Amino acid sequence: MRITAFLDIPGQDNLTPLARLEKYAFSDNIFNRQIIARGLLDVLRDFSSNEEDFLTVMEIVVRLSEDTEPTVRTELIEQIPQITIFLQESRPHFPRAFSEYLMPILVRYLTDPNNQVRKVSQEALLILLEQDLIDQSDLENKVCPILLDLSAPENDDEYKVEAVNIICKMISMLGKQTVEQMLLPRFCDLCSDSKLFQVRKVCAANFGDVCNAVGQEATEKFLIPKFLELCSDSAWGMRKVCAECFMSVSYTTSSEVRRTKLSPLFITLISDPCRWVRQTAFQSLGPFISTFANPSSAGLYVKEDGTLSIRSPADDANHFYSRISNDKMNTTLTSDMSCNASSNCKVQKCPVECTGETRTIVSLEATSSHCKKAHGSHVTDEPRPTDLFNSFLYWRSPLPDISEELELLPVEQSNADSKRELKAVSVCNTYMASSDIQMVIQSLQGHLDDPDVQAQVQVLSAALRAAELDSDSQDEMPSTQDDSTSPQEEYCPECPAEPLSLSQSTGSLYEPEQEDQSTDSFSEDKAKVQDVVPQPLLDQYLSMTDPVRAQTVDTEITKHCAYSLPGVALTLGRQNWHCLKDTYETLAADVQWKVRRTLAFSIHELAVILGDQLTAADLVPIFNAFLKDLDEVRIGVLKHLYDFLKLLHSDMRREYLYQLQEFLTTENIRNWRFRYELAEQLILILELYNPKDVYDYLRIIALTLCSDKISEVRWISFKLVVAILHKLYSNGENQLGINFINELILQFRHSPKWVGRQAFAFICQAVVQEECIPADQFASHLLPNLLSLASDPVPNVRVLLAKALKQTLLEKAYFTSLGNPYLDAVEKTVLTMQLDRDQDVRFFSSTEPKRHITSSPTEQSVD
């Protein structure tokens, strides 16, 4: 019952409705006050037409908001968002009603002593912010000041945590200028709150949204230093939260900050002593690497619907020359191994589906000969690939080059001696680099309490490892760290993680003995170097397939690696696919079917990224293996079968015609959704093959699916049959179409089962509705057999025939035109069915049906 009806009940007293409203709003009975608070929206609807009555009601609302009973205040605050929306939309002649009457109530309730009232008021505030119902002046002068007061260091902890939650959520809803001036300084202070862990955790959880709200400049100036502090927090839960939001933070920063500050910071999280932190960091590693995607190296652009598309050749050429000119103006400390030289590059297009902001991008792919030189050569004037992203080597003093002095030594110039000489030079240089790095690491051991120093030590350790790998003789190398320089191990009491030292965690592998590698493995590591993302990050990603990681980090770490691999591949570009190829093959052969299933669902995306040549060489064998895998894996391939096949050359695509029939066989015959998905994909695949192949191969599969035991599979298969007929006739293969029609008549029209004859009526109806074959062809080959169903003994068949004739066939001009030789036969059939003994048949064949019901699988099938 509406509250106003309650107020208008006659005979209660001699009071007016407004007076009665006031009486019950301040009654001694709590229930009465709750009813009034709950029905305020109805009251305003009935009394807001008159300004005086409206102001009286608003004054009652203000007085009611001061009720001592928390449940009354809760009921009232719950109505404020709806009341505000009503005032904004329906009563614009009271523009200041919310600001003058309701806003003070909302702000006051944010500091209410009752916890439930505060919670509801916070929810109401966020709703109003999302709906943009609060003026900017009210936000700056009323809401923000109270939140700043509540989040002050001297305030109560409970109030502070609640205020921090609201501030973090408000930041993404307010204007950039308001955030920077009023809320950003307080947010930075709260990130350093040493008293309350919950405050810092809330800040860390919302850090990405805050960065996105304030933009790149404010993020790098104010927020990144705070993020560094949070990532080195003493509480492992704080570091875990930072690892979760790392990608969103990285997305807001510049490439330089991402490389120089965030990358070493992320390495520390991956090497964290706490297992849960490492686990979360590895889960975020792939997404973090994806933020390094260079808009000028992917050859794609994002359309408005969120999918990536290929750039036009003209756009590719224009952007290519633009990038060449930019490369001449900008020099970097790192060597460009991705073939920036225009003479060795060619423009390539690389389509892929992804989500992100719209941008136009182009990729450069080196010729195979140049790539082989870049990745496999040991020419002295080229930088060592393992040092490309070693930040230590860019700020340290250059090491002396004694190669010329060694050449002056009196040695015999035999081939064997020449080899030993080059080997000695390499060992000498590596020894000096290693010893120099070790000295720096030793000097920093006394300052490991400083997070910045810890990060430096880890970078230095990685540099030391890279220097050691440059030697072909590992037996002559000095040890990475002696016992005296090994940093203390840090234990995580909150999780069952084993202690992890810095020397164990900085490399791409956990086991120190794995550093002793052969020359072949060293050359393989050389080939996995690229210049898109910092090499240590890629090394850590590639190590996710190491069985040791499953024991020390996460048993499902390979699944996370597989999930993010398309994003990493897109970031690196097809020119760096060699870095990921072995990892992808390892994942494809993983013993866990969930890992293979993840790859199967994304292999079509990877094919778009790599292009047709790499797809044919590296993905097709894995795709073929997935076709013979478990059903849980095969379904991933099947769901995107069309998307993958359309990327192959026609010759290779034709080979799969012989394998499509294998999808009819499943491990569990009850897995009917597998066959349903096959029928859906075949409808799309028809366009990839010529009519002859469709008739020879896909026709057989379609007829098999049309006889499936599950009605859902049959109904979608009937649509496949119609699509095949359209394919044949639209390409001028009329004879093949007639042969297929004769098969349909034999298999369905003369089927001993009524569901088969019903299917024939449905197919005929769909053929007419879709106009997939010429009307005269339908009339001469299908119509006589369709009309003969009028004498079918099963009512369900006759019902569908009546629908086909009345709702589809007689709606077409060809069959209703005067002089049509088939019109008389159709009308006679309809008249006969109007006298049918079954009520439903008579209803659907009547000239003017009372209601129009379209056929649906659930109505047409009772099996």
Side-chain angles (χ1 to χ4, degrees):
M1 184 174 62
R2 287 168 58 89
I3 185 64
T4 50
F6 168 70
L7 297 175
D8 287 337
I9 296 178
Q12 295 187 70
D13 46 44
N14 296 324
L15 299 177
T16 63
L18 279 178
R20 192 173 295 119
L21 172 65
E22 186 173 4
K23 172 186 175 181
Y24 287 107
F26 307 108
S27 170
D28 293 335
N29 190 326
I30 296 176
F31 179 71
N32 290 340
R33 305 202 299 273
Q34 289 178 341
I35 290 180
I36 296 299
R38 193 177 305 153
L40 284 176
L41 181 58
D42 290 336
V43 172
L44 286 172
R45 281 199 183 104
D46 290 344
F47 290 101
S48 60
S49 58
N50 182 278
E51 182 177 358
E52 184 177 351
D53 292 344
F54 172 79
L55 295 177
T56 302
V57 173
M58 296 305 296
E59 291 174 358
I60 293 176
V61 171
V62 173
R63 291 173 57 192
L64 186 62
S65 67
E66 301 173 355
D67 197 290
T68 58
E69 174 58 36
T71 58
V72 176
R73 302 198 299 274
T74 302
E75 293 281 1
L76 188 149
I77 194 63
E78 286 179 346
Q79 305 303 315
I80 284 185
Q82 289 80 7
I83 293 175
T84 305
I85 295 174
F86 166 74
L87 295 176
Q88 292 278 350
E89 296 177 352
S90 305
R91 298 295 184 269
H93 49 279
F94 301 122
R96 301 299 301 172
F98 171 77
S99 178
E100 294 179 2
Y101 293 97
L102 300 182
M103 192 67 197
I105 299 175
L106 180 62
V107 171
R108 187 172 74 251
Y109 279 5
L110 293 175
T111 60
D112 195 276
N114 182 270
N115 181 62
Q116 182 64 22
V117 176
R118 293 199 308 274
K119 295 293 184 184
V120 176
S121 64
Q122 294 165 14
E123 295 174 0
L125 174 61
L126 294 176
I127 292 175
L128 295 173
L129 288 172
E130 291 173 356
Q131 299 289 333
D132 195 22
L133 296 175
I134 304 180
D135 293 338
Q136 190 72 19
S137 59
D138 287 338
L139 284 174
E140 297 178 0
N141 301 324
K142 297 179 181 179
V143 179
C144 290
I146 192 65
L147 293 177
L148 294 176
D149 291 341
L150 291 174
S151 60
E154 65 278 1
N155 214 325
D156 183 78
D157 291 346
E158 185 177 5
Y159 286 87
K160 187 187 298 184
V161 174
E162 294 175 354
V164 172
N165 270 299
I166 300 177
I167 289 176
C168 291
K169 293 177 181 178
M170 280 183 57
I171 284 179
S172 60
M173 303 177 186
L174 300 179
K176 181 178 178 182
Q177 184 176 1
T178 303
V179 171
E180 291 184 3
Q181 293 179 354
M182 304 192 68
L183 298 182
L184 185 58
R186 177 54 53 86
F187 178 83
C188 293
D189 294 339
L190 294 170
C191 290
S192 304
D193 191 310
S194 59
K195 178 183 177 183
L196 207 57
F197 164 78
Q198 289 85 346
V199 171
R200 303 196 308 277
K201 188 172 183 180
V202 171
C203 292
N206 294 275
F207 213 94
D209 294 335
V210 175
C211 292
N212 183 58
V214 300
Q216 176 179 322
E217 183 179 355
T219 295
E220 296 180 355
K221 183 177 181 180
F222 301 106
L223 295 178
I224 291 301
K226 297 299 178 182
F227 191 65
L228 299 177
E229 295 178 8
L230 293 174
C231 287
S232 58
D233 196 278
S234 59
W236 70 269
M238 184 66 61
R239 304 193 299 274
K240 180 178 180 294
V241 173
C242 290
E244 292 174 351
C245 68
F246 215 94
M247 184 200 73
S248 57
V249 174
S250 174
Y251 195 77
T252 317
T253 62
S254 63
S255 176
E256 180 182 0
V257 172
R258 193 177 297 126
R259 287 181 178 275
T260 59
K261 294 185 178 180
L262 295 185
S263 296
L265 185 62
F266 195 85
I267 293 296
T268 64
L269 294 177
I270 281 186
S271 311
D272 196 274
C274 176
R275 178 169 186 163
W276 307 125
V277 178
R278 299 199 305 274
Q279 186 179 106
T280 304
F282 271 107
Q283 292 177 11
S284 302
L285 177 56
F288 175 51
I289 289 177
S290 68
T291 63
F292 287 86
N294 190 343
S296 62
S297 64
L300 316 164
Y301 74 94
V302 183
K303 297 186 292 186
E304 293 182 358
D305 59 358
T307 60
L308 283 179
S309 179
I310 311 173
R311 287 176 52 83
S312 64
D315 293 340
D316 283 342
N318 294 336
H319 198 81
F320 171 76
Y321 292 116
S322 175
R323 186 189 176 193
I324 294 300
S325 62
N326 291 336
D327 288 341
K328 292 180 180 179
M329 298 174 60
N330 301 299
T331 57
T332 60
L333 293 173
T334 59
S335 172
D336 188 356
M337 281 185 15
S338 63
C339 319
N340 275 339
S342 60
S343 60
N344 294 318
C345 298
K346 59 182 179 180
V347 178
Q348 291 237 348
K349 297 175 291 185
C350 176
V352 71
E353 291 186 7
C354 183
T355 56
E357 60 185 27
T358 304
R359 53 182 181 268
T360 55
I361 41 188
V362 70
S363 71
L364 302 176
E365 180 177 10
T367 58
S368 58
S369 60
H370 183 71
C371 289
K372 290 180 180 178
K373 178 181 178 181
H375 300 305
S377 177
H378 291 274
V379 183
T380 57
D381 60 348
E382 292 184 1
R384 296 196 305 271
T386 53
D387 295 337
L388 285 177
F389 288 99
N390 191 335
S391 59
F392 170 75
L393 297 180
Y394 295 135
W395 55 261
R396 68 168 172 83
S397 301
L399 296 177
D401 185 4
I402 61 172
S403 57
E404 295 183 0
E405 287 80 352
L406 290 175
E407 291 178 356
L408 298 178
L409 294 177
V411 294
E412 297 181 3
Q413 296 299 322
S414 65
N415 292 335
D417 290 343
S418 299
K419 294 180 180 179
R420 285 196 296 270
E421 176 183 330
L422 293 176
K423 183 176 181 180
V425 174
S426 175
V427 171
C428 183
N429 286 337
T430 303
Y431 177 80
M432 295 189 67
S434 302
S435 61
D436 189 70
I437 297 173
Q438 280 186 326
M439 292 177 59
V440 179
I441 293 178
Q442 292 177 8
S443 66
L444 296 176
Q445 292 302 310
H447 307 281
L448 288 179
D449 294 335
D450 189 343
D452 294 335
V453 176
Q454 291 181 9
Q456 293 178 12
V457 170
Q458 291 180 349
V459 173
L460 293 173
S461 300
L464 180 61
R465 175 178 171 80
E468 290 175 340
L469 288 176
D470 280 338
S471 174
D472 292 335
S473 177
Q474 295 293 332
D475 295 336
E476 300 179 10
M477 295 300 297
S479 61
T480 302
Q481 282 186 338
D482 54 27
D483 296 337
S484 62
T485 62
S486 178
Q488 291 184 342
E489 297 178 346
E490 179 182 352
Y491 293 85
C492 174
E494 297 90 342
C495 63
E498 69 288 341
L500 184 69
S501 63
L502 283 174
S503 61
Q504 290 176 303
S505 61
T506 53
S508 61
L509 299 175
Y510 275 105
E511 298 295 333
E513 60 269 19
Q514 294 183 8
E515 294 179 2
D516 186 11
Q517 300 175 355
S518 64
T519 304
D520 294 338
S521 62
F522 171 67
S523 300
E524 183 179 340
D525 289 340
K526 286 270 189 178
K528 293 181 179 179
V529 178
Q530 40 69 54
D531 66 342
V532 180
V533 302
Q535 191 62 36
L537 289 179
L538 182 60
D539 291 341
Q540 293 287 356
Y541 178 79
L542 298 179
S543 73
M544 292 175 72
T545 58
D546 190 338
V548 178
R549 295 295 196 197
Q551 301 175 5
T552 60
V553 180
D554 186 2
T555 56
E556 293 191 349
I557 189 172
T558 51
K559 182 181 177 182
H560 297 296
C561 180
Y563 182 81
S564 57
L565 194 141
V568 176
L570 174 63
T571 302
L572 295 179
R574 66 179 65 171
Q575 69 271 18
N576 291 314
W577 167 242
H578 61 276
C579 299
L580 296 175
K581 178 182 176 182
D582 293 343
T583 299
Y584 189 78
E585 293 176 350
T586 302
L587 293 171
D590 196 278
V591 295
Q592 300 182 66
W593 64 266
K594 292 183 179 180
V595 176
R596 304 194 304 275
R597 174 184 169 93
T598 302
L599 294 181
F601 270 94
S602 63
I603 192 171
H604 67 290
E605 303 280 5
L606 192 59
V608 176
I609 297 172
L610 298 184
D612 52 359
Q613 294 182 358
L614 291 175
T615 295
D618 299 333
L619 296 189
V620 166
I622 295 176
F623 182 84
N624 294 337
F626 287 160
L627 292 178
K628 300 177 176 62
D629 212 312
L630 302 176
D631 286 352
E632 290 81 0
V633 178
R634 295 170 70 204
I635 189 62
V637 173
L638 180 58
K639 275 187 173 293
H640 302 285
L641 186 61
Y642 165 76
D643 295 325
F644 186 84
L645 293 181
K646 72 178 182 180
L647 301 173
L648 303 180
H649 288 296
S650 57
D651 295 339
M652 181 172 292
R653 184 191 305 144
R654 196 172 186 277
E655 297 176 3
Y656 288 95
L657 283 171
Y658 312 96
Q659 304 182 43
L660 291 176
Q661 196 163 357
E662 297 178 5
F663 283 110
L664 294 173
T665 305
T666 56
E667 298 171 357
N668 186 354
I669 195 173
R670 295 181 179 179
N671 188 8
W672 63 268
R673 290 180 177 83
F674 198 92
R675 302 188 296 276
Y676 184 94
E677 187 66 42
L678 174 60
E680 283 194 326
Q681 287 295 311
L682 289 178
I683 294 175
L684 301 174
I685 288 173
L686 291 178
E687 70 174 59
L688 303 179
Y689 297 100
N690 60 59
K692 185 67 168 56
D693 287 338
V694 169
Y695 182 82
D696 292 340
Y697 298 98
L698 303 186
R699 170 186 58 87
I700 301 174
I701 302 176
L703 293 176
T704 304
L705 292 172
C706 287
S707 302
D708 198 273
K709 294 182 179 180
I710 305 300
S711 62
E712 291 290 337
V713 178
R714 294 198 302 271
W715 292 112
I716 187 65
S717 302
F718 299 154
K719 296 180 180 179
L720 172 60
V721 167
V722 174
I724 292 177
L725 285 173
H726 182 267
K727 175 78 175 182
L728 298 177
Y729 276 95
S730 62
N731 287 273
E733 298 289 346
N734 291 10
Q735 187 58 49
L736 293 179
I738 293 174
N739 294 341
F740 190 31
I741 288 175
N742 292 333
E743 270 191 282
L744 296 176
I745 294 173
L746 179 64
Q747 180 169 340
F748 296 108
R749 168 60 190 89
H750 301 294
S751 173
K753 297 182 179 180
W754 70 268
V755 292
R757 301 191 299 274
Q758 185 191 49
F760 181 78
F762 177 83
I763 292 174
C764 291
Q765 182 183 15
V767 167
V768 175
Q769 187 171 4
E770 299 296 331
E771 298 181 352
C772 61
I773 69 175
D776 58 335
Q777 291 284 315
F778 175 86
S780 59
H781 296 289
L782 285 174
L783 184 58
N785 291 279
L786 176 64
L787 297 179
S788 66
L789 291 176
S791 60
D792 195 278
V794 179
N796 281 7
V797 177
R798 301 197 303 274
V799 166
L800 194 54
L801 171 61
K803 292 181 179 180
L805 295 179
K806 291 295 296 182
Q807 299 178 5
T808 304
L809 192 137
L810 291 178
E811 296 292 330
K812 300 296 181 180
Y814 174 83
F815 295 99
T816 58
S817 60
L818 295 177
N820 188 298
Y822 305 99
L823 178 59
D824 185 58
V826 172
E827 290 180 342
K828 286 183 179 180
T829 303
V830 172
L831 290 175
T832 302
M833 298 182 71
Q834 290 175 357
L835 301 176
D836 195 275
R837 61 183 179 274
D838 186 87
Q839 179 181 358
D840 291 334
V841 176
R842 295 196 304 270
F843 173 81
F844 286 106
S845 59
S846 61
T847 54
E848 295 180 1
K850 298 179 181 179
R851 53 192 174 92
H852 182 77
I853 302 178
T854 58
S855 58
S856 65
T858 56
E859 296 173 339
Q860 297 160 354
S861 176
V862 295
D863 62 320

